[in-house]
Amino acid sequence: MPDEYSTGSLVKARGREWVVLPQSKPDLLVLRPLGGSDDDIAAVFPAFETVEDARFEPPEPSDLGNQLAAGLLRTALRVGFRSGAGPFRSLAGIAVDPRAYQLVPLLMALRQKTVRMLISDDVGIGKTIEAGLVASELLAQGEATGLAVLCSPALAEQWQQELRTKFGIDAELVLSSTVSRLERGLDLGQSLFDKYPHVIVSTDFIKSPRHRDDFVRHCPDLVIVDEAHTCVAADDTSSNSQNQLRYELLRRVAEDATRHLVLVTATPHSGKESAFRNLLGLVKPELASVSLDSESGRRQLAQHFVARKRADVRQYLTKEDGLSDDSLAERTAFPSDRYFKDETYKLSPEYRALLDDAIAYASERVEEAGGQGKREARIAWWSAIALLRSLVSSPRAAAKTLRTRSAAAVAASAEEADKLGAPLTSDAADNDTMEGMDLAPGAEITEDDPRSRLGELADRAAKLEGPAKDLKLKALVKHLKALLADGHNPIVFCRYIPTAEYLAEQLENDKENGKRGPLGAKTVVKAVTGTLSPQQRIERIEALAEEAGEDAAARRVLIATDCLSEGVNLQHHFDAVVHYDLAWNPTRHDQREGRVDRYGQRKDQVRVITIYGDDNGIDGKVLEVLIKKHRQIKKDLGISVSVPDELSTGVTDAIVEWLLMRGREGQQDTLFGSEALDTATNKVESDWNSAAEREKKSRSLFAQRSIHPEEVAREVTSIREALGGTGEITTFVRESLEALGAVLRGTGEEFTAQVGGTPIGLQDALSPAIGAEVIDKDRPIPFRTDPAVARGEAALVRTDPVVGALAAHVLNAALDKNVLGARPARRCGVVTTDAVGTMTTLLLVRYRFHLTLPSRNGDRQIVAEDARLLAFEGSAKNAVWLTPERAAELLDATASVSTDPHFGERTMTRVLTQLPSAYDHLGVYGEELAAELDASHRRVRAASGEIVRGLSVTAQKPADVLGVYVYLPTTPAASAAPATAPGVSA
């Protein structure tokens, strides 16, 4: 095999660059794309396909650029790196720019031979990103060969999209709805999990013994578990059978001590210490029993557990964190706080009469069933709750419930009745999926004539629709108008599908029938419920945002059930929450609000309006005992503390009991007189306060302490040196777009750009990144400093698709002088400036390093890239080399006078002729960089000697000189040169 095609060398073929692998032969090259994975390996026959050495041709002295050319070319080159230098192998190739605090779990993981992590950061901090960083790095290093994400089926498609678009990991969905199709493509005896290395699996589907055993046998070596708290149960309670099945699944997955396991949850405690211990036992068995009151126990836990509040990371890498200055300080724009407002309404006389009659009916049925047996009593109980909850929700939900047979009516026992009735009428905090839970429950328990008493009540409910008799709806309209007038785009959360559909009908504009809704002609209203698949829900939300458009006067109102209360991120489109129906577990309210109150929310304050009935006998006490208490604890601690389901259920059961008793006996006493309710209230108050104290103590005891901010700062510096920082990207985007003919508006850090006047090649490149319609209609593209951008916006970070497309165009134009249109970056330049006192030459050099990364799956050969600026004074033969800091300063040098193009070309020809004399210094500097890269890899893996044993880094020689720029001191001769534009005109 020719020398240039030896193992590890770089070649160009098929329009891209490749690394030659050891399996290659003289007549057959086995190649992996630079920055690609083993899945992209290809075989090439040099005899039939063009294969050449991957090096740049020397610069042409006649192709001179101006003073901006060097900086633009350097940034364009670095943005295009897919395997950058620095201690992390995956960061250059992913499409997300992590916050500095999000690197902490990754640094913790890299210090473990087998990664076992519990990531419990607060809602909205970015746990999905943190878990994805760990996964992509382990896969890039070869420490893991496959990935399984266990999650709720409602979140599976979102996980799939996040992994594909942000981390370049293509994962197959394994759900009850997809498994038959996937299994048809298997070979005889083959497992799904052997054929598909990366999968996203429904926890509820895979937990059954039939599917569980196959998964455990063929499980990938890296597993991420979302909402991990739903997979354990407390030892001292009658545990949920579903939780037990999930726990058994995870216990068997965790039994393999060599398997990487990352558990993700914002609520590791759920108010129960034993459940928390069981969760820790999945991470490492010894953590289930270690003394967390001892310093040694806390140190042991700190290696695997990270739990931070927003206040911990809102400002990070500052002097308060122990750093010497604030040069690396990072401020994350979380909303400052939630603004709560509780708004009441009273029932209309007609609605009051209907509710009283329904309570009287339910009381009679419960009393009657109590004498018939335990089964009948439980069926009647769940039917009564269903009736009451739907009545206080909406007339539409009430009518549906009154005409629907109770799910519990078919139960053969009291236990089965509880199993069937509870999910549709309660709001358990540990449900890992909301699928099917927003159906209106049934209240009929006998096969009576349709014109029975329930039928009559249903007819009366149907006649109450509309704001005239449904005063709850009237109150909603009032509060929505106020929110919209203040510039908010709210989400209205309902308990049941009929209520959501009813509200949408009442509020929307019906253009076909000429009906104008009460919220204004420019307000777009849509409903999203469990009748839609998870993907259809996202599509409807995007359609809502698109229909509202960019008009500043347009507003969006989303009506939703709790199918959207978990997992779906809505902060880009909405900024207020209205609780139209009170949840009977306050954790559900926190989940709803968390959809918009998270990283990326533009409003500094998220508004929350809770609508409750002043006289329906239920809402007031639920609000007082559960919702407000939950808010206060969160305000005091800065995090949410769940109330155990059995405690909140005890309160709501006592409320219903008292209502039914009043219905039977005609009592008009207040609800607060109920002895049972007082007992339940005191119980929840006491236990909840205890849970809050435990949580407060644990947050202080288990604060993330295994990774010091100084360590994070060091790696952030390393990353920015290799890949560039935000300031560099902002300058690059502004200067490139201006040079290419875009129209920019905005003088601050954020701005907009219209690209209709730029070269067609750039417009074609931007179209798939930002949307064809934006380009075709020449809409302004907003550029934001915050990486969390909405659809149609671009982030000023190297991983943004728009920035990537712009960088690729600038780089290609610099390398190809025949490209049509403006060429902002050039490979050569001669600038006359006051910034130097003697002739100074700046070199843009691309270095490539061959890394051997040892892993438990064998050594992995990787090529990393780096772009460095080197500068010397005088000639190359007698060069006086400058510091890297001084070399970087030359990028800011401005032309003091114009330089004659012909003089510039002669000067550049002379410099390029002498440049080989500097190659020895470039080689020495490359070896220094290789040593630094080796040290950085060892540093972040310092805690495990086995991980770094066998690690090696060597620099490829010679380095590629991509750009050469000469800076001349201002002289009288230069000042007399012919007048042209500053710098050298092309």
Side-chain angles (χ1 to χ4, degrees):
M1 183 164 51
D3 291 342
E4 62 267 31
Y5 297 156
S6 60
T7 297
S9 63
L10 300 172
V11 297
K12 276 186 180 178
R14 301 178 182 177
R16 64 188 303 182
E17 296 185 348
W18 307 76
V19 180
V20 178
L21 299 181
Q23 300 91 327
S24 297
K25 297 181 180 180
D27 58 346
L28 175 66
L29 295 180
V30 181
L31 309 174
R32 183 178 63 238
L34 183 63
S37 68
D38 288 344
D39 294 336
D40 303 317
I41 288 175
V44 174
F45 291 95
F48 302 104
E49 294 189 59
T50 302
V51 180
E52 55 189 21
D53 202 14
R55 288 181 185 165
F56 291 110
E57 295 296 324
E60 295 186 22
S62 61
D63 190 24
L64 298 175
N66 64 15
Q67 61 201 24
L68 303 178
L72 294 180
L73 185 58
R74 179 182 72 147
T75 303
L77 179 66
R78 298 209 291 189
V79 169
F81 284 165
R82 288 296 169 263
S83 181
F88 307 110
R89 302 288 11 105
S90 62
L91 288 193
I94 62 177
V96 62
D97 192 34
R99 313 298 287 171
Y101 69 80
Q102 291 175 329
L103 296 176
V104 170
L106 175 58
L107 288 169
M108 293 170 64
L110 292 180
R111 296 186 175 186
Q112 304 174 32
K113 181 180 179 183
T114 299
V115 176
R116 291 296 176 103
M117 293 282 299
L118 174 56
I119 302 176
S120 296
D121 285 339
D122 197 9
V123 173
I125 282 182
K127 294 182 293 298
T128 301
I129 296 296
E130 292 171 344
L133 288 171
V134 173
S136 61
E137 186 66 19
L138 292 178
L139 291 169
Q141 292 186 15
E143 286 292 337
T145 57
L147 166 67
V149 176
L150 302 182
C151 65
S152 155
L155 304 181
E157 290 178 343
Q158 181 172 322
W159 265 100
Q160 184 185 46
Q161 183 180 20
E162 291 277 301
L163 290 176
R164 182 177 61 248
T165 60
K166 293 182 177 177
F167 298 100
I169 301 173
D170 286 319
E172 194 70 45
L173 294 179
V174 181
L175 314 172
S176 57
S177 59
T178 66
V179 68
S180 296
R181 171 181 59 82
L182 296 175
E183 287 178 341
R184 284 196 294 271
L186 298 178
D187 296 331
L188 185 64
Q190 187 180 29
S191 168
L192 270 179
F193 308 105
D194 286 335
K195 180 167 185 176
Y196 301 103
H198 308 319
V199 289
I200 298 166
V201 187
S202 163
T203 310
D204 276 345
F205 167 75
I206 209 68
K207 71 177 185 292
S208 66
R210 185 169 74 88
H211 301 295
R212 180 188 66 205
D213 294 343
D214 179 56
F215 176 71
V216 171
R217 279 196 303 271
H218 303 277
C219 183
D221 49 7
L222 169 58
V223 176
I224 296 173
V225 183
D226 194 19
E227 302 295 341
H229 64 279
T230 67
C231 300
V232 293
D235 298 332
D236 53 355
T237 62
S238 53
S239 53
N240 185 312
S241 61
Q242 301 302 309
N243 284 28
Q244 287 287 21
L245 287 172
R246 298 183 201 116
Y247 179 64
E248 177 61 21
L249 166 68
L250 288 197
R251 188 190 62 77
R252 293 185 58 183
V253 167
E255 276 181 347
D256 185 347
T258 65
R259 177 170 289 121
H260 304 296
L261 182 63
V262 179
L263 306 181
V264 179
T265 174
T267 53
H269 281 81
S270 298
K272 304 167 188 174
E273 179 65 20
S274 57
F276 177 56
R277 287 291 189 160
N278 288 338
L279 196 60
L280 293 181
L282 292 173
V283 178
K284 293 201 82 173
E286 54 266 35
L287 292 178
S289 56
V290 71
S291 172
L292 299 180
D293 290 326
S294 67
E295 183 62 29
S296 61
R298 292 195 293 272
R299 278 200 305 269
Q300 188 175 352
L301 176 61
Q303 298 174 30
H304 306 276
F305 181 46
V306 56
R308 296 167 294 180
K309 302 180 292 186
R310 292 186 185 184
D312 298 329
V313 298
R314 193 184 298 276
Q315 297 190 54
Y316 191 55
L317 300 185
T318 66
K319 287 192 283 188
E320 293 181 1
D321 295 313
L323 274 65
S324 59
D325 56 47
D326 289 337
S327 60
L328 294 175
E330 184 177 78
R331 291 166 177 82
T332 303
F334 296 112
S336 60
D337 202 358
R338 299 176 192 175
Y339 173 79
F340 292 101
K341 193 172 184 182
D342 302 324
E343 299 286 1
T344 186
Y345 70 93
K346 288 185 180 293
L347 297 170
S348 66
E350 297 89 344
Y351 216 129
R352 173 80 264 169
L354 174 65
L355 181 61
D356 288 343
D357 290 346
I359 290 174
Y361 169 80
S363 299
E364 294 171 14
R365 299 304 290 262
V366 169
E367 185 175 23
E368 179 184 326
Q372 296 174 351
K374 191 173 180 181
R375 168 188 170 275
E376 289 74 12
R378 297 310 294 166
I379 293 174
W381 173 256
W382 293 119
S383 299
I385 291 181
L387 178 57
L388 294 175
R389 291 207 71 179
S390 61
L391 271 166
V392 299
S393 178
S394 71
R396 182 79 58 87
K400 179 70 173 177
T401 293
L402 288 162
R403 292 193 176 105
T404 303
R405 185 166 172 77
S406 170
V410 299
S413 65
E415 291 75 16
E416 187 180 357
D418 289 343
K419 184 178 179 181
L420 294 172
L424 286 176
T425 53
S426 62
D427 299 318
D430 62 355
N431 280 350
D432 69 337
T433 173
M434 297 296 105
E435 297 307 298
M437 295 298 104
D438 52 1
L439 295 170
E444 284 191 350
I445 57 178
T446 61
E447 298 289 351
D448 289 340
D449 183 272
R451 302 304 305 170
S452 66
R453 195 167 165 190
L454 283 182
E456 293 172 4
L457 292 173
D459 291 341
R460 288 169 60 186
K463 293 176 182 178
L464 297 178
E465 292 191 2
K469 296 181 180 179
D470 182 4
L471 300 186
K472 183 181 182 184
L473 170 63
K474 184 177 180 180
L476 174 66
V477 172
K478 171 188 171 184
H479 300 309
L480 286 179
K481 284 183 175 179
L483 285 171
L484 297 172
D486 288 344
H488 289 277
N489 296 290
I491 304 177
V492 180
F493 276 105
C494 311
R495 180 63 177 83
Y496 299 118
I497 292 172
T499 299
E501 294 174 342
Y502 163 65
L503 293 184
E505 289 176 17
Q506 292 288 329
L507 300 176
E508 66 187 356
N509 294 301
D510 188 348
K511 296 179 181 178
E512 292 184 5
N513 298 317
K515 175 208 164 205
R516 178 169 174 174
L519 302 180
K522 291 191 174 182
T523 299
V524 182
V525 180
K526 289 190 182 296
V528 171
T529 69
T531 58
L532 303 175
S533 71
Q535 185 59 34
Q536 289 172 325
R537 297 167 200 170
I538 301 300
E539 291 171 356
R540 180 163 294 187
I541 293 168
E542 294 293 343
L544 167 59
E546 189 172 334
E547 187 175 340
E550 302 297 325
D551 188 345
R555 291 288 177 265
R556 300 179 289 273
V557 176
L558 177 64
I559 314 295
T561 62
D562 283 319
C563 70
L564 287 185
S565 69
E566 285 195 275
V568 182
N569 301 330
L570 304 171
Q571 70 271 28
H572 296 307
H573 300 313
F574 305 97
D575 48 41
V577 170
V578 178
H579 298 293
Y580 190 72
D581 292 334
L582 292 187
W584 283 11
N585 190 308
T587 302
R588 186 65 50 79
H589 277 226
D590 198 45
Q591 291 167 342
R592 292 171 175 178
E593 295 155 14
R595 297 308 94 216
V596 298
D597 183 9
R598 57 195 306 111
Y599 173 53
Q601 174 57 253
R602 292 291 166 78
K603 294 279 189 183
D604 183 56
Q605 189 177 68
V606 171
R607 288 200 187 181
V608 179
I609 293 179
T610 303
I611 297 177
Y612 70 100
D614 186 49
D615 57 350
N616 65 27
I618 298 176
D619 286 354
K621 199 57 180 175
V622 170
L623 181 70
E624 189 68 31
V625 176
L626 297 176
I627 308 299
K628 287 187 175 180
K629 176 69 175 177
H630 183 267
R631 288 180 196 162
Q632 188 59 48
I633 290 177
K634 180 164 187 176
K635 183 177 181 180
D636 293 342
L637 293 185
I639 56 166
S640 177
V641 177
S642 300
V643 56
D645 289 335
E646 59 270 19
L647 293 182
S648 63
T649 301
V651 171
T652 52
D653 282 358
I655 294 172
V656 173
E657 247 178 70
W658 180 251
L659 268 179
L660 297 180
M661 185 187 304
R662 190 176 68 178
R664 285 196 297 273
E665 302 176 8
Q667 296 181 24
Q668 297 302 315
D669 297 327
T670 64
L671 192 60
F672 297 89
S674 167
E675 184 178 334
L677 178 59
D678 288 343
T679 301
T681 300
N682 292 335
K683 172 69 172 171
V684 76
E685 178 89 9
S686 173
D687 287 15
W688 209 349
N689 285 336
S690 297
E693 283 301 315
R694 286 197 303 272
E695 184 68 18
K696 184 177 181 180
K697 179 182 178 183
S698 70
R699 288 278 166 169
S700 61
L701 289 178
F702 311 141
Q704 195 292 121
R705 62 181 68 188
S706 62
I707 303 293
H708 193 276
E710 286 184 356
E711 299 174 72
V712 181
R714 184 167 54 230
E715 305 316 330
V716 167
T717 300
S718 176
I719 293 167
R720 291 179 181 175
E721 285 179 353
L723 303 177
T726 302
E728 177 186 333
I729 297 298
T730 301
T731 301
F732 168 78
V733 172
R734 268 191 172 277
E735 293 178 347
S736 296
L737 287 175
E738 286 177 342
L740 289 165
V743 177
L744 273 62
R745 293 184 177 87
T747 56
E749 290 184 333
E750 298 189 345
F751 55 91
T752 64
Q754 289 178 267
V755 297
T758 62
I760 294 298
L762 175 61
Q763 295 184 44
D764 290 343
L766 292 177
S767 184
I770 197 67
E773 189 174 3
V774 174
I775 302 301
D776 294 342
K777 296 184 177 181
D778 197 18
R779 291 178 179 170
I781 302 172
F783 284 87
R784 310 292 190 194
T785 55
D786 192 330
V789 294
R791 185 178 181 183
E793 300 178 339
L796 291 167
V797 296
R798 64 176 300 277
T799 55
D800 186 88
V802 173
V803 175
L806 176 62
H809 178 85
V810 170
L811 179 60
N812 292 337
L815 298 177
D816 184 0
K817 60 188 301 184
N818 296 316
V819 168
L820 297 177
R823 299 170 58 227
R826 306 290 178 89
R827 297 184 63 190
C828 294
V830 178
V831 180
T832 303
T833 177
D834 292 328
V836 298
T838 184
M839 186 180 84
T840 305
T841 303
L842 177 69
L843 305 179
L844 174 59
V845 184
R846 180 180 69 173
Y847 285 98
R848 287 175 165 175
F849 306 97
H850 295 274
L851 285 77
T852 300
L853 292 182
S855 75
R856 60 189 186 182
N857 296 310
D859 290 351
R860 185 171 177 80
Q861 306 294 326
I862 294 174
V863 174
E865 298 179 285
D866 199 357
R868 293 288 174 148
L869 294 170
L870 292 87
F872 60 87
E873 294 179 344
S875 68
K877 293 181 179 179
N878 302 296
V880 177
W881 291 93
L882 306 180
T883 64
E885 293 76 18
R886 174 59 182 144
E889 289 174 1
L890 292 174
L891 296 178
D892 298 323
T894 57
S896 55
V897 295
S898 301
T899 305
D900 177 66
H902 299 292
F903 173 73
E905 184 176 342
R906 291 196 302 273
T907 300
M908 183 55 62
T909 301
R910 185 170 64 254
V911 170
L912 290 176
T913 302
Q914 298 176 358
L915 194 59
S917 301
Y919 287 171
D920 286 345
H921 179 84
L922 301 187
V924 172
Y925 188 65
E927 291 173 359
E928 293 175 2
L929 293 177
E932 291 177 9
L933 185 57
D934 183 286
S936 71
H937 276 74
R938 294 178 185 276
R939 184 174 64 239
V940 298
R941 298 157 180 81
S944 176
E946 293 185 34
I947 293 178
V948 297
R949 189 176 299 123
L951 172 70
S952 66
V953 182
T954 57
Q956 178 173 312
K957 297 180 180 179
D960 293 321
V961 178
L962 186 60
V964 181
Y965 308 91
V966 177
Y967 296 84
L968 301 174
T970 304
T971 64
S975 65
T980 61
V984 174
S985 171

